[in-house]
Amino acid sequence: MKSKIITAIVALVIVALMGWGYYSSAEHRAHGHAGELNPKETIFEHLGDAYGWEVPFNHSVRIPLPIIVWGQDGLHCFMSNRITGGETYDGFKLSTSEEHHGKVVQVMADGSEVRPWDFSITKNVAGILIAALLVIWMVMTLKRWYARNGMKAPRGGTGFLELVVDFVYGDTIRPILGKHAPKYAPYLLTAFFFILTMNLLGLIVIFPGGANLTGNIAVTLVLAVLTFLITTFSGTREYWKEILWPEVPMALKCPVPMMQLIEVLGMFTKPLALMVRLFANMMSGHMVVLVLVLLIFIFTNLFGVGVGIGTSIFSVAFTLFMLLLDVLVSFIQAYVFTILSTIFISMALVEPHHSEAE
Amino acid sequence: MELFTPEFGLVFWMFVAFLCLYFILAKWAWPFIIKSMEERADKIDKGVAYYQEAEARLSNAKAEADKLLAEARNEQADILREAAKMRNDLIEKARGDASIEAKKVTEAAQVSIEQARKESEKQLRLEVGELALQIAEKVIRRNIANDDAQKALVDQYLREVETKN
């Protein structure tokens, strides 16, 4: 009972910190640029990537991260704090132009800006790596438990992890894929835990978290492409036959390959939907929280401090609600991505049904 | 629109990070975890089946034990009853034997008593005859005319004989 109360208090403190962090970062952003409030810029800056990692309460100091670029004259590596203040280092600077806004560009002799191949460890890349390490740590903890304790049921965090693995593998992947399950389970489980960790990390505002990872289309693009590749390369003869010569009236497929067009389109829309679903869900969660917080400053600017304080009460309440909802959404979206990938793979593994024998 | 344009560097690193993560976990973690979990599930299922079987066996064994116990009880009662009967029979037989023996002894005794009696009767007759002869001799010898005196004499001798016996 006592430990439950402590857990509840810790959870409340974390949630409160989340909200507080959003406030402080949003406030700094809102007033960072010459004291002028620009909600759109603030929101998009927060949702996007950055060189260096912000720390709470101080907008000028950032945790430096390595910048790795392949410019016109080869490879360049340096820490991000050399250019995030607006300086030019080694011929590189953060662009202020419309086209490459906020990105690293190489300044040419004639003053034009050229975007190099950018392999920088940005905030999001660092977040991805941290998430990957966290997943390795979590999964290895579970593995070590089995290696050491064999048949004993794990307790605490490891027990929860096992519950999740059992839910994803035992209740989802295995029933859908059947005998193929062991072959595809590593990919699906890895994807699930990676997405879940990235989702939850994105909700924590201070250092190891705060990067809007799964709310970034590049991240979901890679995940969707991997599912697409796996689906396509595991396709059976029957799968390709259903795409290229489906069982429909001849008029629909022979002179004009209408069905084939739809089926081929379907091959691409499925992963596309995966990509957009995860991206939009996670990004919108962040966006709503940001808008709720920014409402305080907008109302303060428009109607004065009194109204701002009044708004803040509602904003805090809704922000906390949204953050808790996002925790739920994090689990749901990770699960949805996994179950849909599983279903797409199982559709590619289709065996010929025996209706043709009639 | 920047939000919807995937950044090349991020795609690259995400791809690398995911593949590394996949190969590490697929090689060293997932198969082992899945195997362990399935083994445990299997073991639990088997344990439940084993338990049910054991329970059935136990109840069977209990029924059997009860049956055996009841049989043993019946047998015990039978044995006791038989023993009691045997004892009674023995006693009965012994008693019969004893009474037969006793009868034999009694009969033998009676026979011998009878013999003894006959013997003694014979003896007595001889003695009485002798005595009578003696008495008669004495009576004749005295030759006394008095009948009464003779009678008293006879009585006296007879009484003597009686007291001897």
Side-chain angles (χ1 to χ4, degrees), chain A residues 115 119 151 162 174 190, chain B residues 7 13 30 37-38 40:
Chain A
R115 184 100 169 90
F119 296 100
M151 291 296 143
E162 193 205 59
R174 196 174 42 193
T190 306
Chain B
E7 193 66 38
W13 283 111
W30 291 126
M37 279 174 61
E38 278 179 349
R40 198 170 73 209

Side-chain angles (χ1 to χ4, degrees), chain A residues 144-154 162, chain B residues 36-37 40:
Chain A
R144 258 206 315 280
W145 173 276
Y146 285 122
R148 277 191 198 150
N149 299 306
M151 291 296 143
K152 247 171 82 185
E162 193 205 59
Chain B
S36 299
M37 279 174 61
R40 198 170 73 209

Side-chain angles (χ1 to χ4, degrees), chain A residues 7-20 204-205 320 323:
Chain A
T7 312
I9 290 170
V10 169
L12 272 178
V13 168
I14 289 171
V15 169
L17 268 177
M18 283 169 159
W20 185 33
I204 305 169
V205 279
L320 290 182
L323 281 170

